[in-house]
Amino acid sequence: MTGDTAYALGKQFHAALAAGDWAAIRSLLHPDATWTLPGDNAVSGTVAGADAVVRHAQKIAGYGLNFELLHVLVSRENVALSLHNTARRDDAVLDEYLSTVCRLRDGKIAGIETYLSDVPGMNAFFV
C-alpha cells in the first residue's frame, strides 16, 4: 500500500464517521477488524468484527460528537487520524485531542486503536 492510498483511506474513514455513513465505514473494514479505546466508560475496551466496529462507531457518534480532523498521518504501512473531538450533553462537556491509529491489511482497516489526551474527561462524558 502506498502512502497516497493510506492517506485516502484515512480521509474516507473520517468522512464516513463524521457523516454517519455506516455502510461506507463497513466497506473500509477487514471482516475481523478490531477497535480499542482506553478508559473505563460506555465506549472503552475492544470490539471485534467489522459489524461490531460499525456498531461501536454508531454508539460513539450517538453522543453527538464533532469529529474535527486535524491531520492524516501515514507511516510505511498504516494511517493515523489526529482529531479534536468535542460534544456537550446536559452538564457534561467533551473536549479531547486524540490519535486514531488504523492498522491496514490488504487495503482495508484491520485494527483501530485510539489514544486520548483526557481519559478522565472521556470517562466522565461517556456514561
Side-chain angles (χ1 to χ4, degrees):
M1 176 168 293
T2 68
D4 290 343
T5 304
Y7 182 88
L9 191 58
K11 290 283 283 187
Q12 291 168 354
F13 180 78
H14 173 263
L17 181 61
D21 187 344
W22 313 122
I25 289 178
R26 178 65 179 83
S27 74
L28 300 173
L29 299 172
H30 226 275
D32 63 350
T34 62
W35 193 349
T36 301
L37 286 105
D40 184 21
N41 60 70
V43 299
S44 294
T46 300
V47 296
D51 292 335
V53 169
V54 170
R55 285 191 302 273
H56 206 61
Q58 291 171 321
K59 186 175 188 178
I60 293 166
Y63 282 82
L65 270 67
N66 175 42
F67 303 100
E68 179 188 0
L69 180 63
L70 302 176
H71 301 283
V72 176
L73 308 156
V74 296
S75 73
R76 188 171 179 92
E77 299 175 0
N78 300 301
V79 64
L81 304 176
S82 173
L83 300 169
H84 179 212
N85 289 354
T86 55
R88 288 189 174 274
R89 181 182 43 74
D90 299 325
D91 60 346
V93 175
L94 181 73
D95 187 354
E96 65 185 2
Y97 291 89
L98 58 118
S99 291
T100 295
V101 178
C102 301
R103 286 181 299 102
L104 307 179
R105 185 172 74 235
D106 302 326
K108 296 205 176 234
I109 298 170
I112 304 169
E113 185 169 4
T114 299
Y115 298 78
L116 296 169
S117 65
D118 183 11
V119 175
M122 178 191 179
N123 288 339
F125 187 80
F126 289 102
V127 293

